[in-house]
Amino acid sequence: MEHLRDLPRSDLAIICLMIANPPIPDISGYYLDNLLSDFLAVGSFGNMNNQSNLAQCIPFQKNTTIVLTNDQILPGVWYIGYFNGLGSARTQSKMISRGRARSVSTSITVEGCPSSALWGPYCSQTIEMIGCSQLSRYNNSRNLLVQTIDTKRRLNTRENNRHTSFLLRSNLPIGHALDSNSNSLLGVENLITCSISNDSLCLRQGDMKFYFLDIDNLAVQFRIAAAKFGLVQRASLVCYLRYNAFPRRVLHDYSGDISSAPLVIKLPNIGRWYIAIEILNKTEMNNTTSPMPDTTCFSFDWQVTGCLDGKAGINCSWEAYVLQRVPKRNPSVPFESYYVPTDGRAMLEDSHFLLEQFLSNSSYEQFAWTYFLLDVPQGSAGALIHVQLKSDKELNYELYSRYGGLPSNDSWDYFASRTSSSNGSIFFSLQNSTNSDMDLSIFYAKEGTWCFGIKHPNNTSNSQTYISVSLQGCHRNCNQKGVCHSSVDESGLTFYSFCTCDRDHGGFDCSDELVSPNGHIRQSVFLIASNAAAILPAFWALRQKAFAEWILYTSSGISSALYHSCDVGTWCILSFHVLQFLDFWLSFMAVIGTFIYMATIKEASKRAMHTAVFILTAILAATGATRSANIGIVVAIGSLGLLIGWILEFSTAQRFTCCSWRINLSVPQRWPNLVPLFWNTLEMLNKRFHWLYLLVGFITLSFAAVSWKLESNSSYWIWHSMWHITIYTSSFFFLCSIRVNMMVHSPETNYELTRQDSLPRTESRET
């Protein structure tokens, strides 16, 4: 496993998992060093703390098994991403794809208990649900935005400071006033009363009891308090809370000793909360022991508080608006749309609206908050949320975003202002912002409810700020340096978008310049002009009147130059795929044609071999031109053609028939005939070739192999240009190594010429 540290990023393959949206691996050196260190030490994710905004990754191995317990996973949709190489890479086509191809098969097994009331390794432990009986008109709406819209329509005549208090305790009287931790809320209406199965619960020391509670709408706070626990002075009733996963003593989101003070969670997220209750001896922390009862009984007070009438915030004093999604006309990706408020003050035809008319007012605070809620539809987790603010004056707004809950100064997922932002996240980008503009994007936004909170000064009447919120495909349309594409994941349920960058740019949004304009010109000249080396073998073939080979070498050099001219973006005389096919096909034919020409066989045999080679190389070029195995296949076909040509030539010269009807089974009698044949063959080869040219041909061919081996994304242009020069030069030296005066003529042709010359002149005249 230590070899993983020495691998470059471009060769490192990893597997990443993420909840609710496709993963994007962090390619920073610090993250990759920690990733490899944790994997080498633990062999898996290590100490995974359920950071929902980070992808959990491990290096890819031949056989990789990942086991996640209920402490490490959250309920919902999980996405698995395979990344074969990290970092920016040029999309310029390579002669041969020599990167390590990986064929991945995945088997996923999810083991769980048959009921949500059971948990544990053997499903032997119980977890109780805090059940609710809803007294108001809202019946646990699954879609927060539908419920909020309905609330605004039905209650638009009530006073603005009214709120809802959801009392989650069976024996708590309706209208029970909250203590100071509840921020002195003003009233109670539309109650939801919830209860557990037993008002009184008894636990032994060290035991832990689990509950879960579903929060279906935006809440101001969640409060848990203990009752009837004052008789036990040496015991502590510790409560652990965790969002969407089972809490543990060492792994939880919130905790507190509720025997001394209530545990209050401000602005909790929408979803399922798991609660664990444990009784601990207070003297355990001081490493002392003190006797206490084995069993302790107590009861709970549960309370969740929320706001009504389009209000939000701790005191229900800030404005909250629901944004309606409007699909764009002629979208480039299926989910492309924009958002506008639903109260009619903004036109549905406009993708932006005036912000100041929606801002909250406050006479007793310096800054106010205004919230906008939107819903990312199912199937579009591969999209991005783009928010843009443009003002005619200096922008004094701060923008906070949070998934599934209200953001605040202390609780947010992403933050942006004119002077700073949360740019540490790979899922967030703030670009091209000025004193009066703000432009931010959230990549691969999770499906569900997002809340954007704008913190602004109270006096904003002298400025005009327009805001636009949209759901887009690629970030900044690939910065005009590539093409945005959309696809679906393997399940067919989620769309996602990605950029195909041009030859000089790379990165997630094509923002990384890999080659400068001058460098692009230099590389283009080398790649195109290096094909002029094809003149060498073409000139030799033309001088020897080998017109078929002359056409082959000339067309190979021209097609390669045209292909690379199109590949670097200079000029495409035909489509890219047609030029690529011609380049590889004619290159294959040029290599094999050189081998066949060195055999100097009869024209009829040569035409038959060329026809077979035409078919085979066309299949190779059409089905996978850039396969690395094609090099070996082409050399093998050429060597086989040369061997067959020599066998045909030598058998004719020695009057030897391979399929003779007379077979002499006497080995001692045949052996003396093989020895002269062997020496005659060596003598013929010696007379046939100029060995110096042949040696130089093999040396240049070895240089071509080295050039092919050294190609990489950054050095492709220079080594591939050297490949052009050396491969054509080696063909030239191989052709020059053939002695012209030693061409073996066909015996049948000599016989025909002799027969014609032996005719009497009288017969010739009569003819």
Side-chain angles (χ1 to χ4, degrees), residues 114-173:
S115 171
S116 60
L118 300 175
W119 75 282
Y122 304 102
C123 296
S124 58
Q125 297 173 279
T126 60
I127 173 173
E128 294 191 30
M129 181 182 69
I130 302 176
C132 298
S133 59
Q134 189 167 334
L135 302 182
S136 67
R137 61 177 63 91
Y138 313 112
N139 296 319
N140 291 330
S141 174
R142 188 170 180 266
N143 190 329
L144 168 69
L145 299 185
V146 174
Q147 176 174 321
T148 309
I149 294 173
D150 186 65
T151 302
K152 294 175 66 66
R153 288 175 179 173
R154 293 174 180 267
L155 304 176
N156 55 8
T157 59
R158 302 185 179 181
E159 54 272 21
N160 289 336
N161 60 0
R162 182 169 294 175
H163 70 279
T164 303
S165 178
F166 305 97
L167 303 182
L168 308 185
R169 178 175 175 264
S170 60
N171 56 357
L172 187 65

Side-chain angles (χ1 to χ4, degrees), residues 83-329:
F83 301 90
N84 191 9
L86 304 177
S88 300
R90 298 188 68 183
T91 56
Q92 184 182 47
S93 301
K94 302 179 182 62
M95 177 191 66
I96 297 294
S97 296
R98 292 183 306 279
R100 187 175 182 181
R102 303 176 187 272
S103 178
V104 180
S105 62
T106 305
S107 176
I108 302 176
T109 303
V110 179
E111 298 180 358
C113 299
S115 171
S116 60
L118 300 175
W119 75 282
Y122 304 102
C123 296
S124 58
Q125 297 173 279
T126 60
I127 173 173
E128 294 191 30
M129 181 182 69
I130 302 176
C132 298
S133 59
Q134 189 167 334
L135 302 182
S136 67
R137 61 177 63 91
Y138 313 112
N139 296 319
N140 291 330
S141 174
R142 188 170 180 266
N143 190 329
L144 168 69
L145 299 185
V146 174
Q147 176 174 321
T148 309
I149 294 173
D150 186 65
T151 302
K152 294 175 66 66
R153 288 175 179 173
R154 293 174 180 267
L155 304 176
N156 55 8
T157 59
R158 302 185 179 181
E159 54 272 21
N160 289 336
N161 60 0
R162 182 169 294 175
H163 70 279
T164 303
S165 178
F166 305 97
L167 303 182
L168 308 185
R169 178 175 175 264
S170 60
N171 56 357
L172 187 65
I174 295 178
H176 177 74
L178 303 179
D179 55 15
S180 58
N181 289 328
S182 301
N183 296 291
S184 301
L185 296 172
L186 302 177
V188 176
E189 189 168 320
N190 295 322
L191 300 177
I192 297 179
T193 303
C194 301
S195 64
I196 57 177
S197 57
N198 297 313
D199 290 339
S200 181
L201 177 66
C202 297
L203 282 180
R204 299 173 59 183
Q205 183 182 2
D207 290 346
M208 190 174 288
K209 183 66 176 177
F210 288 90
Y211 303 90
F212 70 86
L213 170 67
D214 290 329
I215 297 181
D216 296 325
N217 36 31
L218 291 176
V220 174
Q221 68 179 23
F222 174 29
R223 178 181 182 273
I224 304 176
K228 302 178 182 179
F229 195 72
L231 299 178
V232 183
Q233 301 296 330
R234 296 183 302 275
S236 295
L237 187 60
V238 182
C239 178
Y240 306 99
L241 276 82
R242 193 176 177 197
Y243 179 67
N244 266 342
F246 283 96
R248 293 289 187 270
R249 186 181 299 177
V250 296
L251 185 60
H252 52 266
D253 296 331
Y254 302 94
S255 65
D257 183 2
I258 60 175
S259 61
S260 57
L263 177 61
V264 178
I265 312 302
K266 303 293 185 182
L267 304 176
N269 278 26
I270 298 172
R272 177 162 293 184
W273 287 83
Y274 289 87
I275 307 162
I277 305 295
E278 183 182 23
I279 295 180
L280 296 177
N281 191 344
K282 291 182 178 180
T283 58
E284 289 181 358
M285 301 180 183
N286 301 324
N287 295 325
T288 60
T289 58
S290 178
M292 62 173 293
D294 291 338
T295 303
T296 304
C297 298
F298 53 90
S299 60
F300 291 114
D301 288 339
W302 314 79
Q303 191 176 70
V304 177
T305 306
C307 304
L308 285 180
D309 291 345
K311 294 295 182 178
I314 298 298
N315 296 315
C316 297
S317 56
W318 309 128
E319 300 290 340
Y321 301 93
V322 176
L323 300 182
Q324 178 182 355
R325 188 172 69 92
V326 181
K328 289 186 178 180
R329 296 181 180 178

Side-chain angles (χ1 to χ4, degrees), residues 303-517:
Q303 191 176 70
V304 177
T305 306
C307 304
L308 285 180
D309 291 345
K311 294 295 182 178
I314 298 298
N315 296 315
C316 297
S317 56
W318 309 128
E319 300 290 340
Y321 301 93
V322 176
L323 300 182
Q324 178 182 355
R325 188 172 69 92
V326 181
K328 289 186 178 180
R329 296 181 180 178
N330 302 319
S332 59
V333 289
F335 41 75
E336 199 169 27
S337 54
Y338 60 91
Y339 293 87
V340 294
T342 59
D343 61 353
R345 282 185 283 178
M347 301 294 294
L348 294 180
E349 295 79 9
D350 295 333
S351 59
H352 59 274
F353 54 91
L354 184 62
L355 180 61
E356 277 74 19
Q357 61 180 332
F358 296 97
L359 296 181
S360 304
N361 294 318
S362 177
S363 58
Y364 55 89
E365 292 188 24
Q366 182 180 0
F367 291 95
W369 285 79
T370 303
Y371 296 98
F372 295 95
L373 290 80
L374 61 88
D375 185 63
V376 176
Q378 293 183 355
S380 58
L384 63 87
I385 299 177
H386 178 243
V387 181
Q388 188 175 29
L389 285 80
K390 290 187 176 182
S391 178
D392 58 348
K393 296 184 179 179
E394 185 174 301
L395 198 61
N396 294 322
Y397 298 157
E398 296 179 357
L399 183 63
Y400 298 79
S401 63
R402 188 181 178 191
Y403 175 74
L406 292 174
S408 64
N409 287 323
D410 303 322
S411 178
W412 45 266
D413 293 332
Y414 305 106
F415 157 77
S417 68
R418 184 171 51 85
T419 57
S420 62
S421 66
S422 57
N423 269 336
S425 173
I426 60 175
F427 289 91
F428 179 81
S429 173
L430 179 65
Q431 292 184 348
N432 300 330
S433 296
T434 63
N435 290 335
S436 59
D437 297 343
M438 187 183 299
D439 192 311
L440 60 94
S441 299
I442 300 175
F443 304 139
Y444 288 174
K446 299 177 181 179
E447 301 171 358
T449 301
W450 283 83
C451 184
F452 289 86
I454 298 178
K455 183 180 178 181
H456 53 88
N458 277 317
N459 186 13
T460 59
S461 58
N462 296 327
S463 62
Q464 282 191 339
T465 303
Y466 285 91
I467 181 174
S468 64
V469 183
S470 60
L471 199 63
Q472 298 180 359
C474 298
H475 182 224
R476 300 185 61 83
N477 197 23
C478 302
N479 287 284
Q480 309 301 322
K481 303 298 182 181
V483 180
C484 182
H485 298 277
S486 63
S487 184
V488 294
D489 67 343
E490 291 297 325
S491 67
L493 301 178
T494 300
F495 286 95
Y496 67 94
S497 57
F498 60 94
C499 288
T500 300
C501 305
D502 60 23
R503 277 79 174 171
D504 302 331
H505 295 82
F508 179 76
D509 55 358
C510 304
S511 59
D512 298 336
E513 184 181 71
L514 304 180
V515 181
S516 64

